[in-house]
Each structure stands twice: as structure tokens, then as C-alpha cells.
Amino acid sequence: MSFVWSPAMKFTTWRKLWTALATAEQELGIDISDEQLEEMRTHLFDVDFDLAERKEAEFRHDVMGHVHAFGDAAPAAMPIIHLGATSCYVGDNTDIIQIRDSLFLVKRKLVQTISILKDFAIKFRDLPTLGFTHYQPAQLTTVGKRCCLWMQELLMDYDRVVMEIEKLPMRGVKGTTGTQGTFLELFDGDHEKVKILNKRVCELMGFEKSIAVSGQTYTRKIDFTVLSVLSGIAQSAYKMCGDIRLLANLKEIEEPFAKTQIGSSAMAYKRNPMRSERVCSLARYVMGLPSGAANTAANQWFERTLDDSAIRRIILPEGFLAVDVILTLLSNIADGLHVWPEVVKSHVMAELPFMSTEVILMECVKAGGDRQELHEAIRVHSMAAGAVVKGEGKPNDLLERIAKDSMFSAIHDKLDTLVDPSLFVGRAPEQVDEFIQDEITPILDANKDLLAQASVDAVNV
């Protein structure tokens, strides 16, 4: 990702675009020699950055600085470099190419992360755990089902990324205000040749289509849409890592913690979830970027204003670089998540007596008991047990109270089986199986090449 947004990538792409333009112009009859094209192709990558910088300082124009640097390397081609083009021909088309290549990298890392989480979800598909609503204990779910909630959001992000890749248009060959007037003049008023030129340049740069109409620039709504997709990934990552941070406090699940890692310089016992915190910190930054893109899109007066330039040079690369790091961290965290089943179970059993009362009530009624009398008895016992837990800090003794109450004698011999946590998770395990089979597996099968191409990045994150 760093390379995609590097000066080397940017300025060699400019040279590729100039070469593609000259190639297409030659094919359509413009007097450009094979020697000139060959010279351009020979010097795509040997950019003299110092010369370009000096020329830019002289002209106060970055594109013309690089036109002259390219011409210095390919002197025979100098007369036809940038023929008919405006600065946004290389600038905007390169931005689109960088966005496209970056989206491919984001797609790859999303697939990696989803694949790792899939294995975690399968492993813990049926481990009962407390569900939380309002961060208060609620009906049971499973550890694997909760992981599927994280995966589902990342899957939605994956779909958005794929859609952006498929629909992303190149700016193409549009001229100074988008009218293609200079190219129409170059081809002596031949509209068809101008259309073919635009199509051919896009093909040479790997695009099937260009934006239908433009001013001097492609519409900046594209930037907003792309950054919104990155914001969505950041939201999903923040949600997942926020949950992990809360679960770490409960000592139920922890992110990877190295053998010699220090959690606190003062409190030696601490195992701070620093990777998840780093994800949340970066995600918070990325989630704020679409507003800048929205304001930029809204403030592009008429065919173009230059107040878009500086901000875009910041938010586009930084948005992609931040998401790249977020997804690397997310894969690393997912690959080393540690579950403490006994802690999970203890928290379940501390709350399950309250949750099991409806089952106990129904079983007693089926055995001939009075529903209203039983309900009142359970209410009294529940209030008393709650007072012991909250007022005295003691374990929940509701089941012991019920076991001693003759009103519930019909279920005394099977009380333990009625409070088996696995009976209270609903279809959570089956939902894990179905979600992975119907939603996750097809995506992973379709991207086997990406999974084979890049395992989790072997970096110290």
C-alpha cells in the first residue's frame, strides 16, 4: 500500500499515461514515430526526481516539471509528450489507478481476515456465552455466533469494495474543461476519432470504461464514495475490537499477548488490549475522512477549483494506508484470539438461574402446578437471590432456593438438566453453520487465489 501511494508509483504512472496517449494518437493517424514511442517506453521507470523537482521549482507547476524531466530522458519524444492533454489527464487518471490498486489490496486483506475469523467461529460455534444488550446480561448466545456478527459486517464491506472495483471508471481523455475540444482540433473535427482515442487509452491502462462526462476533473463524489467504503471497514473493525476490549475486561477473551510483552510500566500484571486499541484509534481517524471528501465534492465550482488538491493528497493515501494497517492488525488479532472457557462458563452460570426460571415454571405447570402461584414464588426467590448477589457480593443462590422449596418438587430431580447452558442458546450453533456455508464459504472459494497469495502479514504489529 505504501508503494501504491509512493512518488515512484505516481510519476511512473504519469509516464505510462503519456505513453498510452501517444500510442493511441499514433494509431489514429497523428504524426508520432515508432522511435518516439520506443524511447518513451524505455524510460518509464528511470525518473530523475531531482531534475523534476528543479523544473517544478522553476515552472511552479508539477506536471510541467515532469514533462521536462521525461523529455530529458526521451528527447526524441519531447515534442509530443502531453500532446493535447491537460494536467488532470495524468493527475486524475493516476489517482483513479491508485484507488483501484488500493481497493484490490483492501479486498485481499478483507478476505484474509474473514477466513481467519471463520475458523474461530467454527471452533467456538457451540460454546455458550452471555449475550449483552445495553451491556447488561441478556439471553445466551455462543462465542462463535458473536464472531459471525463481526464477520457479517466485514462481508458487507467486502461487497462494497468489490462493487467499487467493478464500477470504478477512469477519467479518460477529456481535455481542459471536459469538452475534449483540444483533441477534436487535433483530429480536424473528427468526433469518432476523439471517442476512439478515449476508449483506447482506457484500454491501454486496464480500464473498460471511463466516466461519462467530466469537467476538468472526474467528479469528486467518487472520492467520497471510496472513503465511505473505507469508513465502513473502519466501523466494522472498531465494533469488533471494541467488543474484544470489553471481553478482555471480563477476562473471557484476550487478544494475542507476547511472552515478553509488558502491559504497563507501573502495573506489571496488566494485559492491555493494545492492538485492539490501536485499531480503534486508527478507525476513528478513518471514519472522519468522508466529511472532508463531501465538502470537497460540494465545493467544486463549475468545471473545477484547485481547493480540492491539497486535501485529496492527504485523505486518499492516508485513508488507504490506515485501513491497510487496520486490516493487518485485525488479521493478527483474529489469528491469536484466546478464549478462557471456564471464565465464560462462570459468568454464564452466575446469570443463568434467572434466565432458566421460565423453563422451570413451564415444567412445573406441566406437572400440575398453578402457574400464578409458581410465578409469585419464583419472583420472591429471584428478588432475594438478587439482593444476596448485589448486597452481599455472594454467588447467585436462586437454584438452591428453588431446590429447597417443595412447591417445585416436580422438577427437583432434573433441576441440573434444566439449567444446562446449551439449552439456552437457541439456534446459535446452527446459525454459525448456515452463515459460514451460505455466506462465507462462497466468498472464500471465489478468492482462493488471494488466500494463497498472501497469508497473514508476517510483521510485528
Side-chain angles (χ1 to χ4, degrees):
M1 189 68 78
S2 295
F3 173 73
V4 170
W5 294 98
S6 68
M9 170 70 174
K10 177 178 179 177
F11 297 122
T12 56
T13 303
W14 282 13
R15 292 190 174 189
K16 291 175 184 177
L17 282 160
W18 281 320
T19 304
L21 178 62
T23 299
E25 288 174 337
Q26 185 205 52
E27 291 174 358
L28 290 165
I30 300 299
D31 186 16
I32 295 174
S33 69
D34 291 342
E35 177 193 359
Q36 288 173 313
L37 292 178
E38 182 58 32
E39 199 171 60
M40 293 173 77
R41 294 180 186 121
T42 301
H43 294 283
L44 292 176
F45 301 103
D46 55 348
V47 180
D48 187 337
F49 290 98
D50 291 335
L51 176 60
E53 187 175 350
R54 291 197 302 272
K55 290 294 185 181
E56 180 179 347
E58 178 184 348
F59 301 134
R60 299 291 297 167
H61 198 288
D62 55 351
V63 172
M64 287 308 297
H66 277 271
V67 166
H68 281 262
F70 196 15
D72 185 76
M78 181 61 172
I80 53 88
I81 293 173
H82 200 66
L83 182 60
T86 187
S87 297
C88 285
Y89 167 69
V90 288
D92 272 33
N93 282 319
T94 293
D95 290 343
I96 290 290
I97 290 167
Q98 289 174 304
I99 288 170
R100 177 194 62 184
D101 291 356
S102 297
L103 286 170
F104 279 127
L105 294 177
V106 168
K107 176 186 173 183
R108 188 189 78 188
K109 288 198 173 184
L110 274 171
V111 170
Q112 285 180 261
T113 304
I114 291 169
S115 177
I116 294 167
L117 287 172
K118 179 205 72 172
D119 294 338
F120 181 88
I122 292 172
K123 182 176 181 180
F124 297 102
R125 65 180 288 279
D126 53 6
L127 178 61
T129 188
L130 280 178
F132 289 98
T133 57
H134 313 276
Y135 200 37
Q136 303 299 312
Q139 288 186 346
L140 302 190
T141 182
T142 69
V143 172
K145 167 63 188 299
R146 179 174 286 145
C147 178
C148 288
L149 297 179
W150 302 335
M151 277 196 290
Q152 179 169 253
E153 296 197 351
L154 292 171
L155 192 60
M156 294 170 69
D157 298 321
Y158 169 87
D159 289 339
R160 287 286 307 279
V161 168
V162 170
M163 183 179 73
E164 289 303 316
I165 291 172
E166 292 175 348
K167 292 189 174 182
L168 188 68
M170 191 174 172
R171 175 189 176 272
V173 182
K174 294 294 196 291
T176 54
T177 59
T179 66
Q180 298 175 309
T182 305
F183 295 104
L184 188 63
E185 183 177 343
L186 188 65
F187 289 107
D188 299 320
D190 190 330
H191 290 266
E192 194 61 31
K193 282 190 175 182
V194 176
K195 290 163 61 178
I196 294 171
L197 177 71
N198 181 66
K199 185 174 186 294
R200 180 63 176 139
V201 169
C202 290
E203 289 173 351
L204 289 169
M205 298 307 297
F207 283 82
E208 295 182 0
K209 59 184 178 180
S210 65
I211 194 165
V213 293
S214 74
Q216 188 173 90
T217 67
Y218 67 77
T219 170
R220 298 312 187 209
K221 287 185 75 70
I222 290 177
D223 296 345
F224 172 75
T225 301
V226 168
L227 285 168
S228 296
V229 173
L230 298 186
S231 172
I233 295 170
Q235 294 161 35
S236 302
Y238 199 115
K239 156 67 176 168
M240 173 180 160
C241 289
D243 285 354
I244 291 171
R245 292 165 66 190
L246 293 168
L247 292 167
N249 171 262
L250 298 174
K251 297 180 173 61
E252 291 190 8
I253 292 180
E254 292 177 334
E255 67 175 35
F257 197 87
K259 184 178 181 180
T260 58
Q261 184 174 335
I262 294 174
S264 167
S265 61
M267 297 165 279
Y269 61 88
K270 293 193 75 178
R271 292 171 65 98
N272 298 335
M274 48 82 86
R275 302 178 207 209
S276 295
E277 289 172 325
R278 191 184 307 166
V279 167
C280 292
S281 184
L282 288 168
R284 193 174 298 146
Y285 172 71
V286 175
M287 287 187 283
L289 296 180
S291 62
N295 279 293
T296 301
N299 281 284
Q300 281 293 283
W301 302 346
F302 303 111
E303 280 64 51
R304 195 268 167 97
T305 59
L306 197 59
D307 60 348
D308 66 334
S309 179
I311 185 171
R312 293 177 66 254
R313 295 183 191 214
I314 298 170
I315 62 177
L316 285 173
E318 289 194 358
F320 276 108
L321 287 164
V323 166
D324 188 67
V325 174
I326 286 170
L327 290 173
T328 296
L329 282 165
L330 217 58
S331 292
N332 176 266
I333 292 166
D335 198 39
L337 273 181
H338 189 86
V339 179
W340 298 101
E342 292 305 315
V343 178
V344 174
K345 182 179 179 181
S346 70
H347 290 157
V348 168
M349 297 312 297
E351 301 293 339
L352 191 58
F354 294 128
M355 299 176 191
S356 65
T357 53
E358 186 173 4
V359 174
I360 292 171
L361 178 64
M362 292 300 102
E363 288 297 314
C364 287
V365 169
K366 284 193 286 185
D370 184 300
R371 191 267 178 197
Q372 311 311 329
E373 292 180 359
L374 289 164
H375 184 276
E376 177 59 19
I378 286 178
R379 188 191 69 81
V380 171
H381 285 318
S382 296
M383 294 301 105
V388 168
V389 171
K390 295 177 182 178
E392 303 177 33
K394 294 181 179 179
N396 189 332
D397 65 352
L398 175 58
L399 295 181
E400 295 173 22
R401 293 172 184 271
I402 291 175
K404 294 175 182 177
D405 190 334
S406 60
M407 186 177 294
F408 299 92
S409 58
I411 54 89
H412 281 171
D413 60 343
K414 56 179 179 179
L415 187 57
D416 289 342
T417 62
L418 293 180
V419 291
D420 179 352
S422 64
L423 300 177
F424 294 84
V425 299
R427 297 192 66 253
E430 290 74 20
Q431 286 180 338
V432 172
D433 297 338
E434 292 161 7
F435 177 68
I436 289 175
Q437 178 181 334
D438 298 340
E439 305 293 335
I440 300 299
T441 300
I443 296 299
L444 298 183
D445 286 346
N447 289 282
K448 287 181 179 178
D449 56 331
L450 295 184
L451 291 171
Q453 181 185 115
S455 58
V456 178
D457 294 296
V459 295
N460 181 9
V461 295

